[in-house]
Amino acid sequence: MERLSSPARLMIVSDLDHTMVDHHDPENLSLLRFNSLWEHAYRHDSLLVFSTGRSPTLYKELRKEKPLLTPDITIMSVGTEITYGNSMVPDNGWVDTLNNKWDLGVVKEETGNFSELTLQAETEQRPHKVSFYVDKSKAHEVTKELSQRLEKRGLDVKIIYSGGMDLDILPQGAGKGQALAYLLKKLKSEGKLPVNTLACGDSGNDAELFSVPDVYGVMVSNAQEELLKWHAENAKDNPKVIHAKERCAGGIIQAVGEFKLGPSLSPRDVSDFLECKADENVNPGHEVVKFFLFYERWRRGEVENSEAYIASLKASCHPGGVFVHPSGAEKSLVDTIDELRKYHGDKQGKKFRVWVDQVLATESAHGTWIVKLDKWEQSGDERRGCTTTVKFTAKEGEGLVWERVEQTWSEESKLKKDDSSWII
Ligand code: GLC
Ligand code: MG
């Protein structure tokens, strides 16, 4: 990845459904905890990789439903499609290797003979992935029979059973594990092999991730039977793989701590960070993550409605500081903070959440920092995002001073009319 000029301190490679995303938590709390930890402590020097069974279509749908961060690398369709960066540039070199002993037509023909197999949605059928549903009780037998038939037809495939219902047929060289191994090799050849890699998963198609050499692994507490069985049979003596006590993203955070891969305290687990102002290291990225978390708590009415907070925020703003609202209106930063008073608790009970994505700070001149990020607000079912640029100056003995905040609506948020509840 060009973004990093040296090896990533940590590369997290995580499955999405029931691993990064907890579909049983409508509040998305563990995901939001992970998000703030990542943006606070890892974004600037680490790599986030999502590795999902979903096709690009269903992956994009999930992004709209859940507060997912933007990964550096996206591996989709069970390790058959790898893309890079925000614009998701495909790795065509990877696709080329998958054509070995693979023939989509033959797979479709042979699977047609199995009445136990129900074809999944059209979006989930990909050039190197054919997917069905099959009953748990039939899965083993069908897999055996089908591999023999395909082998006879000269193909070399991999059949994976996940989530107690999904059956994927892929080229032998594909899969989440192979895709990760390919990625590690590629990063190594660029002199950027990550210092540590942590693989995270919950179901059958994640098993391969845990056999990639030198990689730490976490099976989240809610892992599926088929993965736990695979682990018991194949990897139970590997101390680098743990079965977490916590569900989903909570389990990922737990593993980061247990394997000592770096900080594992999410800012969301700190109740009063404005109090601990004495941040020895000047870090503008931290300021931004903490501010927007405070802003969420303020509007949810979860922090005390205290003048001390307002005073402390105002003290960190430049008296002539400017805030450019995404609508284009300009206000003084200090006035904007003053206005916050009337919004205390206005989002109580309204499912209001704020999260930041891709927080990156650069020192533009000595003591002057520019932080760029995407800031998101969810209120009930409505979501809005904007690109935010914050300029800070570091003053000797005073820490960081907010000088200018400028926001522009993200593409999809431009179309929405009402922006009255967007404060900062
Ligand atoms: C995702 C995909 C599906 C696949 C399953 C297991 O749910 O949408 O096609 O079968 O993951 O890999
Ligand atoms: Mg999963």
Side-chain angles (χ1 to χ4, degrees):
M1 287 302 297
E2 291 92 59
R3 185 170 69 75
L4 301 183
S5 52
S6 50
R9 179 161 59 109
L10 176 63
M11 178 161 88
I12 285 194
V13 182
S14 180
D15 167 52
L16 295 176
D17 295 290
H18 309 288
T19 302
M20 190 57 87
V21 172
D22 189 344
H23 290 284
H24 296 285
D25 175 14
E27 291 274 335
N28 301 307
L29 274 183
S30 59
L31 177 55
L32 290 166
R33 282 174 63 223
F34 175 84
N35 289 357
S36 359
L37 173 62
W38 189 259
E39 296 301 329
H40 193 254
Y42 295 97
R43 175 66 77 178
H44 64 288
D45 64 358
S46 296
L47 287 174
L48 183 60
V49 182
F50 288 161
S51 184
T52 177
R54 291 184 180 231
S55 63
T57 309
L58 287 194
Y59 166 63
K60 285 170 193 158
E61 262 175 39
L62 187 66
R63 293 189 62 82
K64 283 192 205 135
E65 286 161 25
K66 295 283 175 183
L68 284 168
L69 294 180
T70 306
D72 297 284
I73 302 167
T74 319
I75 303 174
M76 290 161 294
S77 310
V78 199
T80 63
E81 301 180 64
I82 303 178
T83 68
Y84 302 98
N86 294 359
S87 39
M88 299 180 69
V89 179
D91 187 325
N92 294 323
W94 174 241
V95 176
D96 290 343
T97 67
L98 303 182
N99 289 323
N100 185 33
K101 292 192 175 176
W102 174 254
D103 187 323
L104 199 58
V106 172
V107 175
K108 287 189 174 159
E109 211 180 293
E110 288 297 337
T111 48
N113 297 319
F114 289 78
S115 61
E116 301 89 336
L117 294 174
T118 311
L119 199 63
Q120 290 185 11
E122 200 47 51
T123 58
E124 301 316 280
Q125 313 305 333
R126 306 294 298 160
H128 298 97
K129 167 177 172 285
V130 184
S131 296
F132 298 89
Y133 297 118
V134 65
D135 196 81
K136 238 184 198 171
S137 61
K138 308 271 171 55
H140 186 70
E141 200 187 319
V142 170
T143 304
K144 224 172 95 188
E145 173 94 25
L146 188 57
S147 11
Q148 282 166 3
R149 281 187 180 233
L150 290 170
E151 201 186 318
K152 274 201 197 120
R153 301 281 312 259
L155 303 197
D156 193 6
V157 302
K158 186 180 261 179
I159 303 179
I160 306 179
Y161 193 56
S162 303
M165 59 191 246
D166 298 316
L167 186 118
D168 302 314
I169 306 163
L170 323 168
Q172 187 59 249
K176 291 189 178 190
Q178 308 270 30
L180 172 56
Y182 169 85
L183 199 60
L184 286 169
K185 197 170 148 205
K186 187 166 173 145
L187 288 167
K188 190 173 177 187
S189 73
E190 294 166 0
K192 292 189 209 164
L193 185 69
V195 179
N196 286 305
T197 299
L198 172 66
C200 322
D202 77 298
S203 84
N205 68 12
D206 301 313
E208 291 192 342
L209 287 172
F210 304 118
S211 26
V212 176
D214 302 322
V215 164
Y216 288 97
V218 54
M219 303 181 291
V220 290
S221 68
N222 50 295
Q224 292 281 334
E225 196 183 306
E226 78 254 348
L227 179 63
L228 296 175
K229 185 162 172 273
W230 173 89
H231 177 253
E233 287 165 5
N234 301 281
K236 77 174 186 317
D237 296 326
N238 181 356
K240 281 189 144 187
V241 175
I242 57 165
H243 183 195
K245 291 193 180 58
E246 292 197 44
R247 292 180 58 81
C248 301
I252 302 177
I253 300 175
Q254 187 195 329
V256 169
E258 276 189 31
F259 292 130
K260 302 195 165 45
L261 304 177
S264 61
L265 177 65
S266 168
R268 280 195 181 264
D269 298 329
V270 178
S271 56
D272 199 352
F273 35 71
L274 283 192
E275 291 254 294
C276 44
K277 257 273 159 183
D279 211 337
E280 328 72 55
N281 308 315
V282 171
N283 189 324
H286 286 185
E287 290 301 303
V288 171
V289 174
K290 288 192 291 186
F291 172 76
F292 285 116
L293 204 41
F294 169 78
Y295 169 74
E296 175 193 290
R297 289 172 176 175
W298 181 263
R299 295 192 69 184
R300 287 173 63 91
E302 288 174 355
V303 286
E304 205 188 320
N305 187 353
S306 143
E307 271 308 306
Y309 285 129
I310 301 287
S312 142
L313 287 173
K314 277 163 77 175
S316 58
C317 290
H318 189 280
V322 170
F323 169 53
V324 184
H325 189 271
S327 64
E330 282 197 26
K331 285 194 279 188
S332 121
L333 256 184
V334 178
D335 290 350
T336 309
I337 300 297
D338 267 331
E339 265 178 49
L340 267 185
R341 279 199 194 88
K342 62 173 189 276
Y343 293 99
H344 183 269
D346 74 322
K347 295 286 187 185
Q348 214 163 17
K350 298 227 171 96
K351 286 203 171 166
F352 178 73
R353 291 291 175 192
V354 179
W355 67 97
V356 290
D357 185 20
Q358 304 198 89
V359 178
L360 291 170
T362 40
E363 193 166 16
S364 62
H366 182 69
T368 305
W369 294 82
I370 303 291
V371 182
K372 283 207 171 222
L373 62 137
D374 287 325
K375 181 226 168 187
W376 290 92
E377 276 192 31
Q378 174 106 23
S379 193
D381 295 333
E382 273 258 4
R383 183 198 283 194
R384 273 196 148 186
C386 71
T387 302
T388 304
T389 309
V390 187
K391 184 180 171 195
F392 285 103
T393 42
K395 291 259 154 61
E396 200 64 46
E398 280 178 49
L400 288 160
V401 178
W402 294 64
E403 277 221 2
R404 187 180 172 84
V405 180
E406 209 171 320
Q407 299 184 325
T408 52
W409 293 125
S410 64
E411 276 310 310
E412 71 254 49
S413 304
K414 257 185 209 160
L415 308 165
K416 299 183 180 154
K417 290 262 168 347
D418 179 27
D419 55 24
S420 57
S421 91
W422 192 280
I423 315 305
I424 189 165

